[in-house]
Each structure stands twice: as structure tokens, then as C-alpha cells.
Amino acid sequence: MKRTIYIMMAALSGMVCMPEADAQEAKDIIPGVSINNFSMEREGKFLNVAMDIDLKDLDVSSNCVVLLTPRLVNGIDSLDLPSVGIYGRRRYYYYVRNGIGGISGDDEKVYRASEKPDDIAYSNLTEYSDWMDGATLKFHRGDFGCCHNMLAEYDSILGRHHEAFFPALMFVQPKADIEKTRSLSGFAYIDFPVNQTVIYPDYHNNTVELSRIDDTIDSVRADKDITITSVWLKGYASPESPYKHNAELAIGRTTALKEHIGQLFHFADGIIDIDYEPENWEGLREYVATSNIDHREEILAMIDSDMEPDAKEWKIKRTYPKEYRFLLQYCYPYLRRTDYRIEYKIRIFYDVDEIRRVMAEQPQKLSQNEFYLVAKEYEPGTQEFTDVFETAVRMFPNDAVANLNAANAAIRRDDFAAARRYLAKAGDSAETVYVRGALAVREKDYTMAIKCLEQAEKMGLQQATATLKELNGRRKR
């Protein structure tokens, strides 16, 4: 089957926005200042820098200012984050009298030296730029005297920010259905007077049993999107009485049900098809096998024998009369049943807005390709995007493509447990092997990632080659 592969490239879909920073704690990085609980993490379109600044050992003379500035640096690119200024008494009042908010600007957090806290919880969100991938965060201390004269400078490195590698994910577009066919099936126990083939709707529990079939047909017949193509009926009789007579009953009773349905729903000729089983030995065997009836194994052996049906039934009756009477009372009535199956086709939906409506109200009407078409209208990683593929896999729980696409959506939102569950049912196509490798990358299991990506590469998937190259390049940094 030819399949379309939808590669969600990081640069186009925002899928590389998964940050990493060198996690560390630094003590006494510059004179008088300690840093704890440092982190540098990507949060959507922003880079969040956070740390606890310990100032207990910082001394600032009356005529000086100590300016503490986190600074992002990557080659020729740099950015000073908002500073923390500790002002000696004279410097503080000098700036107040002259209407100066702070040496570094309006974003500076200003403290008088005599009132400085022992610890400052520093946090700053900065709009992310590409150059920040690989940037170093330096912590700068500048000591100033009067007239903004720099008296001393100190620098220390807190950490480096690296974007986590998020391999391109591959969604497979399912093959578009030429025709969407579905079916509903069930069974009913229609009671007939002894040796008769006429249906009496009020006889015993027939009102309820006939409603089983009628309601199933009605559930699809009134839907403007659905056309019933076939109604199949199969009648069964129980093994008592001669086989020939049971065959006549099975045929006659199933034909009577066909006529009942035809008169009620006025189907076109050829829509209703019937079949019959003169004696329901399979149902009898299933009942006996799951029961605790005496001589169960012996009775099963008789059921499985090559004897003619009438001889088989007579031997059970004669050899185990007590058990036979039990079966006649509690099992045989349920062997006389009618299986039914309603087959129908659903029209194809092309309009995305209509597909959204159907997905919300009756998702069972949609094909996998229709789910896929609406998913493409959403931004990858959004809840709407995820909901489409999760709904699709609920409708097609054992389909490899549905599970593969649901696994991709789960990886995109970092739900790795769900991704593994879906991948277990996604088969072993090159795309599935590749996505297993992508999941291993996200879980930092690089041995498994390389194994899967190399296997996908051998299977002819070009994206695996590109991902392997990128992965190996990043690991060498």
C-alpha cells in the first residue's frame, strides 16, 4: 500500500523547542556572592534564567555600587539580563537626589546595602533567539565608585544552554478510502410455538427480541450519511428432533423473520440475505465446555465425534439422560437463535469543517484519512492536534498507522508512556522503527536511538540518515 509520509520538520513546526541547560550549582563564583539552584530552561518562545543569589558575604562601602549582571554570550552575540544593584549609603542617596533609577537602567533591581536581603530569588524571561542555542551564561560583578568609574570587575560562568535534539517526527497519511463500509451485528432469540414457523410478535419475549434487530437497523437507516447495503440473517435450531425436521424449521423461521423485516422497512429486493444452521452443535459445545456438568469430557467427545447428528444426539440422550435433561432445559432454548449483521456504507467527507463536526458527534463515521486531513489544520503539539490522533486510534485501535500517528502525537507532548503503548501496536515498518528511534532520543537512550535509526536507514528511510547525522554531531559537541 502506497503511503504518504508527513515529516514534521523541526524548523517548520517548532518541534525543536525543547530546552536543555547544563545543570549545576556554583558556590562563591565571584567575591562575596554565591549562586544556588541555577537553571536555564526554554519555555515556549522564551528562555527562563533562574537562580538564588546569596549576598550574605557581600560588603559594599558607602561610596560604592556593586552591580550584578547575568550575561548571555555566544560569539559576537550577547545580551545583558536585568541587573541587581547593591548601593552604598552615599551612592544610593546621590542617585535618588539626581533622579537616577539605577546604573544599568530601569529594569535594575535596586537595594540599599544596609537593607539588602541575604538571598534574592532571581528569575527572568527573555524572548528566545536562535543564537541563544549554545550560549554561555556569565555572571558579572562590576564595582563602581563616583562618576560611574569602574573600580573592579569579576566574571564567572554559570552554565551553557543547548536546545535538546528533537528529531523530525513522521506522520503517515492513511490511504484514502474509495468507499467506507461498516457493519453492526448481534443476535436475537425469537420464540416460535412448537413445530411452527410463523412469527407472533407478542409470543413470550418476542417483542424485546424483535426490537433488538429493528433498533439496530433503525440506528443507521435514519442517518442521511448512511446507506444500508445488506441485511444478513442466519437462523439456528437446536439438536433435538430429527435433523431433516430441524433444517425445515431453521429455513422456515429465518424466512419468516426476513418477511417481517421486509414488511417493516420496505428494503429493495436483494438487500436481505438469509442463511441457516439446522442444528447448533457449535453453541452446544461451547456451553458444555464452559459448564461444570457431570461427564463433561465424555459429552464433549460425543459432540466432537464423526457420528451423524441424529445418532450423536440420541447417544448423548441415552447415555447421560440426567445431563441431557439439564441441557434440554437450560441450554437448548438459547441454541435457537438468529444472528444478524447490518452492512452499510458511509459517504466520504471532504470539507474540513464538516469533518470536525462529525468527529465531535459521531467519530465512528470517519476514515483514518479524514482524521488525518483535519489534523493537518492544527498546529502540531496543540491539544486539538493531539485529540484528532487519539480519537482516530480509539476508532481504529488495532491499526498500525493509527497507532503510529498517535505515538507521534504523544511524543510531541512528551507523553512517552503513551508513545510506547501505541508503538507496540504500530507494526515494524521503516517509519515505525524510525519513530522508536525518535522516542529513544527524547528519552536520552542514545544506544537504542542509534540502533533504531540505523535499522530504519537500512530499510531505505532517508530521514533516518539525516537524523543520525544530526544526532551524532550533537553528541560530539
Side-chain angles (χ1 to χ4, degrees), residues 79-302:
L79 176 68
D80 283 359
L81 305 184
S83 301
V84 175
I86 312 299
Y87 289 72
R89 182 176 180 278
R90 290 183 182 177
R91 285 296 97 198
Y92 178 81
Y93 285 114
Y94 171 80
Y95 284 109
V96 169
R97 286 195 301 271
N98 288 279
I100 302 172
I103 293 177
S104 64
D106 293 337
D107 290 336
E108 180 183 323
K109 188 68 173 177
V110 174
Y111 296 94
R112 286 178 57 183
S114 60
E115 297 175 353
K116 70 174 176 62
D118 288 341
D119 295 282
I120 296 175
Y122 183 95
S123 181
N124 181 76
L125 283 174
T126 299
E127 188 170 351
Y128 189 82
S129 297
D130 290 342
W131 67 265
M132 294 177 185
D133 185 10
T136 298
L137 185 72
K138 296 183 176 181
F139 197 83
H140 179 265
R141 171 178 169 173
D143 292 7
F144 295 85
C146 61
C147 302
H148 288 196
N149 290 327
M150 179 71 72
L151 304 177
E153 289 185 276
Y154 308 89
D155 263 316
S156 185
I157 295 176
L158 288 182
R160 187 182 299 273
H161 174 74
H162 288 293
E163 289 289 283
F165 179 38
F166 203 135
L169 296 177
M170 305 183 70
F171 288 73
V172 174
Q173 180 167 7
K175 184 179 180 181
D177 292 334
I178 298 175
E179 185 175 83
K180 292 187 293 184
T181 59
R182 304 283 191 274
S183 67
L184 296 172
S185 58
F187 55 85
Y189 299 101
I190 312 300
D191 259 344
F192 294 83
V194 176
N195 292 328
Q196 292 191 31
T197 58
V198 177
I199 291 179
Y200 297 97
D202 297 330
Y203 186 72
H204 290 179
N205 201 40
N206 280 354
T207 300
V208 173
E209 296 301 320
L210 288 170
S211 293
R212 291 178 188 269
I213 303 174
D214 298 345
D215 291 348
T216 303
I217 294 173
D218 270 334
S219 70
V220 292
R221 180 171 166 269
D223 194 316
K224 62 182 177 60
D225 297 325
I226 289 177
T227 302
I228 293 177
T229 57
S230 172
V231 177
W232 175 83
L233 307 169
K234 183 174 182 178
Y236 296 83
S238 57
E240 85 272 21
S241 299
Y243 185 87
K244 181 179 179 182
H245 179 63
N246 288 333
E248 292 172 352
L249 289 177
I251 295 171
R253 290 172 175 177
T254 308
T255 301
L257 183 57
K258 174 183 177 180
E259 292 173 354
H260 167 84
I261 292 173
Q263 292 172 1
L264 190 63
F265 293 102
H266 307 290
F267 286 119
D269 292 342
I271 293 294
I272 304 177
D273 190 22
I274 64 171
D275 194 2
Y276 69 95
E277 188 77 33
E279 294 183 354
N280 190 0
W281 285 97
E282 182 179 347
L284 176 61
R285 191 193 193 287
E286 182 180 345
Y287 182 90
V288 172
T290 57
S291 73
N292 58 358
I293 192 172
D294 291 341
H295 304 291
R296 182 180 62 182
E297 297 304 322
E298 292 85 352
I299 295 172
L300 286 173
M302 292 179 185

Side-chain angles (χ1 to χ4, degrees), residues 120 380 405 408:
I120 296 175
N405 287 339
N408 277 296

